Amino acid sequence: MMGIDILKYQTIRTRRPDDELELLKKIRDGYFMKNSMLNDEFYKIVAKYEKEFSDAERKSSLPDNPDMDKIERFVEKINRRIVNEDIYFPGHLSSIFR
């Protein structure tokens, strides 16, 4: 689900829509299990999401590889802001003395 969002919309959506949330809760709660085995309905759902993922991957405008220089600059910028206390980061040494 999240992988499909990344490929289609170039975004990470941690709050799932209600229908997806209900499905994830059912999986977590063992709704698709019988005698410790996953049932056919579960595998149909998996196949549906695999197809959707494959389609999204094929149509995605994302590059095949990330721009590592850009990522390194971003990480450095965030780290500098943490060290300079421009942003609060729990666990940072200065947060112990607040």
Side-chain angles (χ1 to χ4, degrees):
M1 295 173 186
M2 191 178 288
I4 294 167
D5 289 344
I6 292 169
L7 290 168
K8 279 185 171 181
Y9 311 115
Q10 294 82 47
T11 189
I12 296 173
R13 185 174 56 163
T14 56
R15 171 105 168 82
R16 305 312 307 165
D18 289 341
D19 60 331
E20 289 180 9
L21 185 58
E22 288 303 313
L23 174 60
L24 291 169
K25 286 179 180 179
K26 284 180 174 182
I27 294 169
R28 177 197 64 197
D29 295 340
Y31 178 84
F32 299 101
M33 298 282 289
K34 185 169 183 172
N35 300 324
S36 300
M37 300 289 291
L38 292 164
N39 65 23
D40 290 341
E41 184 181 1
F42 175 79
Y43 288 108
K44 288 176 185 174
I45 293 167
V46 169
K48 173 189 165 277
Y49 278 104
E50 285 177 337
K51 181 181 181 333
E52 192 174 345
F53 183 90
S54 180
D55 291 346
E57 184 178 30
R58 194 176 68 261
K59 295 175 184 176
S60 177
S61 63
L62 290 175
D64 290 337
N65 296 299
D67 183 337
M68 293 308 294
D69 291 333
K70 193 172 187 178
I71 291 169
E72 288 171 13
R73 288 193 306 272
F74 174 74
V75 169
E76 181 180 351
K77 180 180 176 182
I78 295 299
N79 287 337
R80 285 185 188 280
R81 290 185 65 196
I82 291 169
V83 169
N84 294 330
E85 298 184 12
D86 293 336
I87 57 175
Y88 174 70
F89 182 75
H92 183 269
L93 287 178
S94 66
S95 66
I96 296 171
F97 303 106
R98 287 185 189 230

